[in-house]
Amino acid sequence: MIRELLTEENREWVARARECAAKFVAPHAAEWDRTAEYPWSAIEGAKKYDLFRVWIPKEYGGAGGGVLNLCLVVEELSKACGGFGVLYAVNSLGSFPIILGGTDAQKEQWLPRIAAGEKLIAFGLSEKKSGSDAGSLSCRAVKQDDGSFVIDGEKKWNTNGNAADLYTVYASTAPDRGSRGISAFLVEKGHPGFRIGKKEDLMGIRCVPVHELHFESCRVSADQLLGAREGGGFANAMMTLDRARPAVAAQALGLAQGALDLAIHYTRERQQFGQSVSSFQGIQWMLADMATRIEAARQLVYEAARGVDSGVKGFSKYAAMCKVFATDVAMEVTTNAVQLFGGYGYCKDYPIEKFMRDAKITQIYEGTNQIQRLVIGRAITKEAAG
Ligand code: CAA
């Protein structure tokens, strides 16, 4: 779907996110990148524009806007700052497990507060030795006689690590059952036995705090077990990632579009050989290819998101496809945009190099692009088998 065909509701979210990005994100993006400071002022901005409501169902205080409107918001925010785009989007990654698998009480307790932006939430699946092979995680939750659980282990690459208030944490309650023995828990910051650990020093998205999480004899009550159900955690994580990956693709899309906008502006202004650089055919063709690839990525992202919202059969394949394609396009486009700035592209006096650094991670997190290809490959061979 091209942008011209978006509905009134979609356009409203785009307009809101764009205004929020212009006021609260773009003016500070370079400073956040330099200082790695958490953008609390922009979180307040996003609250003011009600952006945390978009993906939360209406019955829990949200707008019921689904994944497509979430993607539209993430795209606009990421045009201004890829870091802010993901630290906003990761709240959807953290809350989809509750939306999909929480008990009524868990939904009522948390979703309205997430929708209002009162509580930030993060997602704890990966570990030092368990990344792509998520089912091999070693964090353990041992059930006690009174029904509570004691969690021991560590989580790695936790986006929004020390900024979140609530964490969806995956741990095994039955190690002998492999991925079927994984369960999910809701743990609040400050809970005894739960400690935020090392902060990573990142190449890009530098305003995003990515931390290790440590659980040391961390006792949680039975009502913190997601869905009051042991063993459904892995499927819950996979279903969550199916819904969250289009938002990473949208982050990539925003980064690519933002870089192209800057490259067009720069090459129009920059004079060489007595004319603007953008008037050379070689440059026009580069710009044209960048714009065309971005448009192809956009349509795949929007359609995959619509597929997820409509619950079409096999939407994990589309979610994986849009993540692979849009993030590869973002890396290619942002690299070419740096090239178009020449020597100025390689230094921090200009904002363009940040786009390239921010884009790289989109090919890695929420499932590397190699894992996305595995998901797609498995899906198409299964379809062929009938
Ligand atoms: N929906 C529902 N269930 C699913 C599913 C899906 N999309 N995919 C798999 N499952 C179920 C299967 O049906 C199967 O169920 P049964 O045991 O009942 O048969 C079970 O899960 C195991 O499935 P597989 O055998 O296919 O699992 P696998 O071990 O081969 O792994 C994988 C599949 C796709 C590689 C998966 O491990 C994966 O997605 N890995 C990447 C993990 C990832 O994206 N991590 C990123 C974390 S977030 C992050 O980056 C940090 C952050 O904060 C942003």
Side-chain angles (χ1 to χ4, degrees), residues 158-231:
N158 196 264
T159 305
N160 261 357
N162 67 346
D165 304 284
L166 182 66
Y167 299 76
T168 311
V169 178
Y170 295 86
S172 181
T173 44
D176 53 320
R177 299 197 69 220
S179 62
R180 288 183 182 173
I182 295 172
S183 306
F185 296 87
L186 297 171
V187 187
E188 278 184 90
K189 185 195 263 163
H191 194 89
F194 171 35
R195 184 169 59 80
I196 314 280
K198 178 189 166 213
K199 182 183 182 195
E200 309 297 341
D201 189 5
L202 303 176
M203 174 201 281
I205 58 161
R206 290 188 53 79
C207 65
V208 183
V210 173
H211 283 256
E212 291 177 359
L213 308 179
H214 301 279
F215 298 88
E216 289 140 358
S217 302
C218 175
R219 185 183 285 265
V220 296
S221 62
D223 58 17
Q224 288 172 262
L225 172 66
L226 189 77
R229 185 172 157 246
E230 286 178 60

Side-chain angles (χ1 to χ4, degrees), residues 13-227:
W13 283 111
V14 170
R16 240 193 250 194
R18 190 172 288 172
E19 204 175 304
C20 175
K23 277 192 191 163
F24 293 98
V25 183
H28 310 290
E31 176 71 3
W32 297 333
D33 181 55
R34 200 173 54 74
T35 61
E37 177 194 331
Y38 194 78
W40 287 112
S41 55
I43 292 285
E44 288 307 310
K47 276 156 81 168
K48 202 168 151 202
Y49 282 87
D50 248 350
L51 300 184
F52 288 102
R53 290 193 199 281
V54 63
W55 70 88
I56 304 280
K58 283 187 178 155
E59 58 270 43
Y60 297 106
V67 174
L68 175 57
N69 287 308
L70 167 67
C71 286
L72 294 171
V73 170
V74 174
E75 181 185 348
E76 288 305 319
L77 297 177
S78 303
K79 268 192 223 169
C81 175
F84 189 74
V86 71
L87 68 78
Y88 160 81
V90 91
N91 288 280
S92 65
L93 175 68
S95 50
F96 282 133
I98 307 177
I99 296 171
L100 291 166
T103 60
D104 288 346
Q106 288 165 340
K107 290 179 185 174
E108 275 155 25
Q109 182 180 5
W110 295 114
L111 296 179
R113 297 157 90 185
I114 295 166
E118 283 167 23
K119 296 284 177 190
L120 300 181
I121 179 163
F123 179 81
L125 177 66
S126 301
E127 300 178 356
K128 278 182 190 159
K129 293 186 180 169
S130 158
S132 294
D133 185 5
S136 70
L137 59 79
S138 63
C139 195
R140 296 280 177 265
V142 179
K143 195 170 188 175
Q144 309 296 299
D145 292 343
D146 62 357
S148 65
F149 293 83
V150 174
I151 309 180
D152 278 286
E154 299 176 340
K155 292 287 157 187
K156 186 86 181 163
W157 313 123
N158 196 264
T159 305
N160 261 357
N162 67 346
D165 304 284
L166 182 66
Y167 299 76
T168 311
V169 178
Y170 295 86
S172 181
T173 44
D176 53 320
R177 299 197 69 220
S179 62
R180 288 183 182 173
I182 295 172
S183 306
F185 296 87
L186 297 171
V187 187
E188 278 184 90
K189 185 195 263 163
H191 194 89
F194 171 35
R195 184 169 59 80
I196 314 280
K198 178 189 166 213
K199 182 183 182 195
E200 309 297 341
D201 189 5
L202 303 176
M203 174 201 281
I205 58 161
R206 290 188 53 79
C207 65
V208 183
V210 173
H211 283 256
E212 291 177 359
L213 308 179
H214 301 279
F215 298 88
E216 289 140 358
S217 302
C218 175
R219 185 183 285 265
V220 296
S221 62
D223 58 17
Q224 288 172 262
L225 172 66
L226 189 77

Side-chain angles (χ1 to χ4, degrees), residues 86 90 93 122-126 131-136 156-160 177 179-180 210 234-243 245 248 316 364-368 371-372 374-375 378:
V86 71
V90 91
L93 175 68
F123 179 81
L125 177 66
S126 301
S132 294
D133 185 5
S136 70
K156 186 86 181 163
W157 313 123
N158 196 264
T159 305
N160 261 357
R177 299 197 69 220
S179 62
R180 288 183 182 173
V210 173
F234 190 74
N236 174 272
M238 293 298 109
M239 292 190 295
T240 290
L241 288 164
D242 286 343
R243 284 152 181 85
R245 284 172 178 155
V248 175
S316 14
I364 298 172
Y365 58 23
E366 292 196 32
T368 62
I371 288 295
Q372 307 306 320
L374 180 143
V375 170
R378 283 183 181 180

